[in-house]
C-alpha cells in the first residue's frame, strides 16, 4: 500500500525494487535521470493506465516470455536478478528501460515526431492490438540504433497493420498473435532485415497465417463492416490512400446507400423494394452492412431513406461528392445486388493495395523455409505392439482423428516409445499401453482445467512424453472429456494462455 492506502501498481513496485535499496545520492541521481523522465513522458494519466502494460511488453522483448499482467513485478525481479542484467548494473538496466519507454510512448501515446511514422502508429492504435508491441519495440529499437532504415521500419509497421487487419476481416482467431509477436524480432537476423521479416510473416502456419489477397478480398466483400469494431479506421484508410491532401473522415458520417431502416425490414420504403426486385428482403438483409453498400457523407440527414436516384442528384448528392469512396456512384443507373457486388469488388481490389501483403517470389521465400528435421530412424504404428494388434487400436484411431482435426497445422510423429502430436512443438504425446493410452499434456499442471480430477501432476518426474500433466484414456466414454483436456494444451501452445 502507498501513503494514501491504495494498492501499489506493478510500476510502483518495480520502481521501489530498483531504487529503494540504493544509497541516497545514487538513488536521487538515477531517479531524476531515468525514472522521473519516464513518468513525465507518459504523463500522470497514461503512467497510471499504460506503464504496467509497457513493462509487460518490455519484459516480453527481453525474456521471450509473456508475463501475466498481475505478475509483471515478479517477472521483472527475475529478469533484474539474471546474471547478465545484474552484472551490467542498475544504471544500465534503467537506461535501457528509459530508452524502451521512449519507443513505447512514440508508438502508443502519439509522441512520434516523424509525421509518416506517427500516422502509421495512429492506424495501429485504432486496431487496438497491444500484443504487437513486443515486436514493434524490437523494431523501433533497431530503427533508433540505425540497424533498420527509416523506410524499412515504416514498411514493417504497415506490414504489421496489414497482418492484423486482414486477419480480423478473415475472422481468424486472435489467440495466437501474442506468441507470434512475442519472439519474431528475436528470431530475425539483421542482415536483409525487412526481407527476413516479410518472409517470417509469409511462412507463418495456418492458424497464424498472413491471409493472401484472394482470401482477404473474398471476406472483405461479404463481412459486416458496419458493425466492425474499427469501422472509421477502414473507411479512413480507403478514402485517404494515395491522397496528399488527407480527408478528415471524422467530419463525415457513415452512409448506407441502401438504407438500413433501423434494421427493420418492415421500414424499407416501397421505392427500395422495387429497386431491389422480388428478392428484396434477402438482398437487403445480406448486403446492407457490407463493403459495397457503405460510404461516407456529410449529408446523412438529407439522404435519410430517399431513393438511390435522389441520393445521387440532390444538392450535395453522390454525383457531386469529392470523396474517392463515392467515385462513379452518380453514374450508376440503379442500386441493387449487382451494383453493390460490383462496387464491393472495386473497393476490395483497392484494399489489397492499402493493406498490402509482403511480395517475395517463390524461389526467395523457399530459401527462408526452415530445413526439415532429419531423424535417425523412422517409426510407424507397427512399431507399437499395443497399437499394431492390441485392444487399444480402435480407441487410438478415434483419438488421433480428433486431434488431427484440431487444425491443419497439427502433425503426427511416431517415435520409438510414444506418438507425438505437434503444432509448433509437442502439445500431447501418447504412450500406448496394454489397457490404456497414457497421455502427456505439454502444459503446467496448475493451468489445466480438470473438474473431474483425472489429471496427475508429473512435474519433475522422469517419464516418456513432454509436459507436466498426465492423464489416462481407456474407453470411448472418456474420449470427449480427454479431448477437451488436449484442446487446452493445444490452445495454450497457440497462444491462448496469456491474458491480454
Amino acid at each position: 500500500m502507498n501513503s494514501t492506502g491504495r494498492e501499489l501498481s506493478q510500476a510502483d513496485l518495480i520502481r521501489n525494487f530498483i531504487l529503494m535499496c540504493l544509497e541516497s545520492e545514487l538513488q536521487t541521481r538515477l531517479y531524476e535521470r531515468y525514472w522521473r523522465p519516464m513518468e513525465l513522458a507518459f504523463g500522470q494519466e497514461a503512467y497510471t493506465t499504460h506503464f504496467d502494460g509497457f513493462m509487460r511488453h518490455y519484459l516480453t522483448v527481453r525474456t521471450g516470455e509473456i508475463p501475466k499482467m498481475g505478475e509483471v513485478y515478479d517477472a521483472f525481479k527475475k529478469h533484474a536478478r539474471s546474471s547478465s542484467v545484474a552484472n551490467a548494473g542498475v544504471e544500465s538496466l534503467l537506461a535501457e528501460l528509459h530508452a524502451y519507454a521512449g519507443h513505447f510512448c512514440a508508438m502508443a501515446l502519439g509522441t512520434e515526431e516523424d509525421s509518416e511514422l506517427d500516422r502509421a502508429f495512429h492506424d495501429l492504435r485504432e486496431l487496438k492490438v497491444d500484443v504487437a508491441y513486443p515486436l514493434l519495440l524490437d523494431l523501433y529499437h533497431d530503427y533508433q540504433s540505425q540497424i533498420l532504415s527509416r523506410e524499412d521500419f515504416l514498411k514493417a509497421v504497415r506490414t504489421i497493420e496489414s497482418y492484423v487487419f486482414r486477419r480480423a476481416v478473415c475472422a481468424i482467431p486472435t489467440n495466437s498473435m501474442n506468441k507470434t509477436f512475442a519472439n519474431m524480432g528475436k528470431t530475425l537476423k539483421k542482415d536483409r532485415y525487412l526481407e527476413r521479416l516479410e518472409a517470417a510473416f509469409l511462412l507463418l502456419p495456418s492458424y497464424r497465417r498472413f491471409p493472401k489477397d484472394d482470401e482477404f478480398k473474398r471476406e472483405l466483400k461479404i463481412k459486416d463492416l458496419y458493425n466492425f469494431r474499427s469501422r472509421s479506421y477502414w473507411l479512413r484508410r480507403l478514402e485517404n490512400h494515395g491522397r496528399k491532401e488527407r480527408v478528415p473522415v471524422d467530419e463525415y458520417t457513415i452512409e448506407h446507400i441502401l438504407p438500413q431502416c433501423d434494421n427493420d425490414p418492415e421500414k424499407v420504403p416501397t421505392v427500395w423494394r422495387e429497386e431491389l426486385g422480388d428478392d428484396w428482403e434477402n438482398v437487403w438483409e445480406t448486403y446492407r452492412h457490407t463493403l459495397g453498400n457503405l460510404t461516407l457523407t456529410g449529408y446523412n440527414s438529407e439522404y435519410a431513406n430517399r431513393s438511390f436516384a435522389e441520393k445521387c442528384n440532390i444538392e450535395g448528392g453522390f454525383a457531386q461528392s469529392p470523396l474517392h469512396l463515392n467515385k462513379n456512384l452518380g453514374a450508376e443507373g440503379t442500386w441493387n445486388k449487382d451494383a453493390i457486388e460490383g462496387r464491393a469488388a472495386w473497393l476490395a481490389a483497392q484494399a489489397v493495395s492499402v493493406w498490402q501483403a509482403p511480395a517475395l517470389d517463390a524461389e526467395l521465400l523457399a530459401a527462408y523455409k526452415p530445413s526439415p528435421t532429419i531423424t535417425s530412424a523412422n517409426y510407424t504404428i507397427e512399431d507399437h505392439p499395443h497399437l499394431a494388434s492390441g485392444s487399444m487400436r480402435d480407441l487410438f484411431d478415434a483419438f488421433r482423428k480428433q486431434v488431427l482435426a484440431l487444425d491443419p497445422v497439427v502433425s503426427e510423429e511416431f517415435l520409438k516409445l510414444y506418438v507425438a502430436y505437434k503444432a509448433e512443438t509437442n502439445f500431447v504425446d501418447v504412450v500406448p499401453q496394454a489397457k490404456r493410452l497414457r497421455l502427456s499434456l505439454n502444459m503446467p499442471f496448475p493451468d489445466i482445467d480438470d473438474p473431474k480430477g483425472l489429471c496427475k501432476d508429473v512435474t519433475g518426474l522422469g517419464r516418456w512424453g513432454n509436459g507436466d500433466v498426465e492423464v489416462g484414456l481407456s474407453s470411448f466414454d472418456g474420449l470427449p472429456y480427454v479431448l477437451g483436456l488436449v484442446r487446452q494444451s493445444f490452445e495454450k501452445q497457440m497462444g491462448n494462455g496469456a491474458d491480454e
Side-chain angles (χ1 to χ4, degrees), residues 217 220-221 291-292 338-351:
K217 288 191 291 185
L220 187 66
K221 288 185 289 187
L291 177 66
D338 290 342
I340 295 171
E341 289 182 344
R343 182 169 179 267
W346 172 67
L347 289 172
Q350 296 182 58

Side-chain angles (χ1 to χ4, degrees), residues 11 172 216 238 342 374 389 419 452 497:
I172 302 172
F216 178 51
L238 271 176
I374 300 174
S389 58
V419 185
K452 291 187 177 181

